[in-house]
Every structure is written in structure tokens, then in C-alpha cells.
Amino acid sequence: DAGVIQSPRHEVTEMGQEVTLRCKPISGHNSLFWYRQTMMRGLELLIYFNNNVPIDDSGMPEDRFSAKMPNASFSTLKIQPSEPRDSAVYFCASSTDRLSNQPQHFGDGTRLSIL
Amino acid sequence: QKEVEQDPGPLSVPEGAIVSLNCTYSNSAFQYFMWYRQYSRKGPELLMYTYSSGNKEDGRFTAQVDKSSKYISLFIRDSQPSDSATYLCAMRPFAGTASKLTFGTGTRLQVTL
């Protein structure tokens, strides 16, 4: 079975540019999560969707960050304009809440570097 | 102060050793506790899942929760080089995706030959 698929795997861009990260969750999963991982702060939840609807975006750091989930098989996280402090590894995860205590399955992340 | 504290390591042990990884937390509402393993340049994967206090064993891995001390542990017996990874603890107040997972920053483990 295909896991959570993220693209691109690596992104290097200059400060001020728009960055779009993409995620395809596991088929049948109805919850999707975007995380950011840094050495200093660890893994932080940015936003999560349930049945394509944003439920909690309290972790989104600033208005420069936005996320969408137009359908059950695709989500994007956009940063506009990007800043060097946005450099991190961004993970997407999905799970199903049809059974209790289901784990979150993570993609392999997008390593983002803003110069 | 962070809700979940975890020593970043690195922790280096010889093959065959028993490894103890630990997290402390401050939120007494946490009831579900998880350990994730993350290999370099990969996403975290769930290793162990426990509810409330007590022990849970799965092969070489044992997860232990002490809610009175707000302390959780993961023990790895007969450690192998393939266990070399970063181990993250995670916890939530109740079951279901409506409950936010809070992660520790991870402990990097190196098992040497």
C-alpha cells in the first residue's frame, strides 16, 4: 500500500518567494495533519483537517502560512512570502478516526531551505 | 517550559545493551502515550501505544507509564544497530483525532557494533 506521499522532497528558494508543499494522504484516511520539525522546537502541529475541513489551525505561525484540502486525496501548505526562519522539515500525516486510537502515518517530509 | 521534555542525546550504546529512553510531561490531562521512531530523512513511525499507567511489551520493546510522576519510558532490550534512530514520545489527553498530539523533541540513539 502506498503511504503518505509528499512533494517535493527538497525545496531551496530565496526569501520572499512563494512556497507550496503538497501531500497525498493514505486512501481512506479522513484526517490530515501538517507538522513542522526543527532541532530547537521538535515536531509542531501546524493545522489539521477532518473530512477535508480545517479543525484546528492554532499552530499556524503567521498569516503567511495557509493550508487547503480541496478533496480527500490532496492537501497543500503554502508560505507566501517565505522567510529564512521558515526553514525546517515539513511533514504531512494522515489517519482515520473510524476506529479509536488509530496512529498517524507520516510521509517522509519536505526539507525546506529559505536563503 | 515545554509540556513534554525529552533529553535530545545523543545516546550511544554497544550492541546488545538495554536502552532506556524517557520523557517527562506537565499536563496531567494526558492519558494516551506513544513512542515514535524516526530514521534519518524519514517520517516518524509509530512504535508503541499505551493508555494510562502501567507497562506494555512488544518484542524487544517495553513502554512504561507512571502517571503519578508524569514520566514515561521506553526500554529496548538486546539493542541492535538497526535501532539507531531518533525516538520521539508523544501524548494526548483523549483518543481520537480531535485530540492534539504533543511531541517531545526526540532522543537520538546510536547503537554501535
Side-chain angles (χ1 to χ4, degrees):
Chain A
D1 288 342
V4 174
I5 299 171
Q6 291 187 247
S7 63
R9 288 298 311 276
H10 304 273
E11 175 87 12
V12 180
T13 193
E14 291 187 345
M15 174 179 172
Q17 296 298 306
E18 178 179 291
V19 173
T20 300
L21 311 181
R22 297 172 176 80
C23 175
K24 177 178 170 52
I26 293 172
S27 177
H29 283 188
N30 63 334
S31 292
L32 183 140
F33 308 81
W34 282 102
Y35 288 90
R36 178 171 67 178
Q37 187 176 40
T38 60
M39 290 290 289
M40 289 299 295
R41 300 174 67 93
L43 203 59
E44 299 174 286
L45 179 67
L46 300 177
I47 185 171
Y48 92 87
F49 295 83
N50 188 255
N51 295 322
N52 310 339
V53 176
I55 302 300
D56 183 353
D57 65 355
S58 60
M60 296 286 261
E62 298 169 38
D63 291 345
R64 299 184 295 107
F65 286 70
S66 62
K68 293 182 180 179
M69 191 163 186
N71 56 61
S73 58
F74 184 65
S75 177
T76 59
L77 177 68
K78 189 172 291 188
I79 309 172
Q80 166 63 15
S82 57
E83 295 183 5
R85 60 193 167 122
D86 301 331
S87 299
V89 183
Y90 289 80
F91 287 101
C92 176
S94 71
S95 71
T96 175
D97 60 5
R98 295 191 178 93
L99 295 172
S100 63
N101 304 332
Q102 288 300 295
Q104 294 181 18
H105 297 264
F106 285 78
D108 285 338
T110 294
R111 191 170 294 269
L112 178 63
S113 296
I114 308 297
L115 306 176
Chain B
Q1 186 185 3
K2 292 177 183 174
E3 273 192 297
V4 180
E5 298 278 357
Q6 189 175 6
D7 187 331
L11 178 62
S12 184
V13 301
E15 183 179 8
I18 296 174
V19 175
S20 173
L21 303 165
N22 311 294
C23 286
T24 57
Y25 62 95
S26 57
N27 187 347
S28 57
F30 288 140
Q31 294 195 68
Y32 293 86
F33 304 92
M34 283 138 274
W35 286 94
Y36 280 80
R37 178 176 60 195
Q38 185 177 19
Y39 290 113
S40 180
R41 298 187 179 273
K42 290 288 193 179
E45 57 178 336
L46 184 67
L47 201 57
M48 298 282 287
Y49 187 106
T50 56
Y51 167 69
S52 200
S53 287
N55 290 3
K56 182 176 180 179
E57 191 173 316
D58 184 1
R60 296 185 296 111
F61 299 90
T62 299
Q64 191 173 79
V65 173
D66 182 349
K67 289 189 69 183
S68 63
S69 302
K70 297 190 180 66
Y71 188 88
I72 68 170
S73 300
L74 177 71
F75 298 97
I76 307 174
R77 291 184 298 281
D78 187 25
S79 56
Q80 303 295 309
S82 59
D83 295 328
S84 298
T86 296
Y87 290 80
L88 301 104
C89 62
M91 46 200 79
R92 55 160 51 126
F94 51 89
T97 53
S99 170
K100 176 183 167 181
L101 259 185
T102 302
F103 283 85
T105 51
T107 299
R108 190 157 62 91
L109 172 68
Q110 181 72 39
V111 181
T112 57
L113 291 170

